[in-house]
Amino acid sequence: MKRQKTITIMTTSSPYTGKVLVAGATGKTGTWVVRRLQHYGIPVRVLVRSAEKGERFDNAEVVVGRVQDKDDVARAVKGCSAVISALGSSQVVGEASPGEVDRDGVIRLAEAAAEAGARHFGLVSSLAVTKWYHPLNLFGGVLSMKLAGENRVREIFAKDGRSYTIVRPGGLQDGEPMQYRLKVDQGDRLWNGFTNRSDVAELLVLSLWNDKARNTTFEVVSEDKEPQQSLGYCFEGLKKG
């Protein structure tokens, strides 16, 4: 089977050293996380459900396993200094449901990462996670499950010298990174808007070395189309929490 290329040939060095595990790497947002990590020359490990799914990744270490399995997760995080989770449920019930993935999968990943010595955890969440009455919660309580995952990440990684960054994007769209000016807010006050998956990935990768991103939770949506040189400005003025 021909392997699909998923990285940019040209790379840019970053201040970050260490290997990063990407969970949910085969999803659209997770694939962008891998691309942006490799853009900066950061070593990547991916957790995938099958060896076949791992074939799409070049220059990435592949661990086959399931986030529902504690031993698989422990193997995946071992030796990684950071974890970025782009996990997302795909069913209302069953092992791919919000409860199994957005809550329990994220919690299992965060607990194993901390136990293995990882120092930073990045998480893709969503707008409106605190709004229990939001229509999206009709689908397996997905927003409430994401919030439960967020809460455990904050509890674990806000102490003992560890850190976290939780990004709550609007409706996810495809497209190249840094093509839009981004609006950032906190307090879950944004109800709508879209965000490019690639920009979410870029923010989480930048959070690996940007001190202003540490221990923050924030919402982000796209504004006017306006090419950006960097998304580092999104972390300016963020409150911790």
Side-chain angles (χ1 to χ4, degrees), residues 199-213:
D199 285 336
V200 176
E202 178 74 3
L203 288 169
L204 286 169
V205 172
L206 293 180
S207 77
L208 293 170
W209 64 83
N210 190 312
D211 289 340
K212 294 180 180 179

Side-chain angles (χ1 to χ4, degrees), residues 1-6 26 46 48 50-60 62 64:
M1 178 181 296
K2 186 177 181 180
R3 299 178 70 182
Q4 180 181 350
K5 300 290 185 181
T6 61
T26 57
V46 296
V48 297
S50 69
E52 182 179 4
K53 288 182 179 293
E55 289 179 351
R56 72 177 65 181
F57 298 106
D58 287 325
N59 296 348
V62 175
V64 177

Side-chain angles (χ1 to χ4, degrees), residues 6-25 29-47 57-61 80-86 120 122 177 197-209:
T6 61
I7 63 170
T8 304
I9 295 176
M10 296 292 291
T11 61
T12 302
S13 61
S14 78
Y16 188 80
T17 58
K19 185 178 295 182
V20 179
L21 172 70
V22 181
T29 304
T31 298
W32 269 112
V33 173
V34 174
R35 288 176 178 173
R36 297 314 292 171
L37 286 167
Q38 292 181 324
H39 170 81
Y40 289 106
I42 298 171
V44 180
R45 178 184 293 166
V46 296
L47 175 62
F57 298 106
D58 287 325
N59 296 348
E61 183 181 343
C80 290
S81 58
V83 174
I84 296 178
S85 172
H120 185 73
R197 293 179 173 90
S198 57
D199 285 336
V200 176
E202 178 74 3
L203 288 169
L204 286 169
V205 172
L206 293 180
S207 77
L208 293 170
W209 64 83

Side-chain angles (χ1 to χ4, degrees), residues 166-187:
I166 298 172
V167 180
R168 295 170 169 175
L172 293 168
Q173 294 192 169
D174 295 322
E176 294 295 315
M178 294 183 284
Q179 298 303 304
Y180 290 87
R181 180 79 184 173
L182 300 182
K183 178 179 181 179
V184 172
D185 199 8
Q186 292 181 287

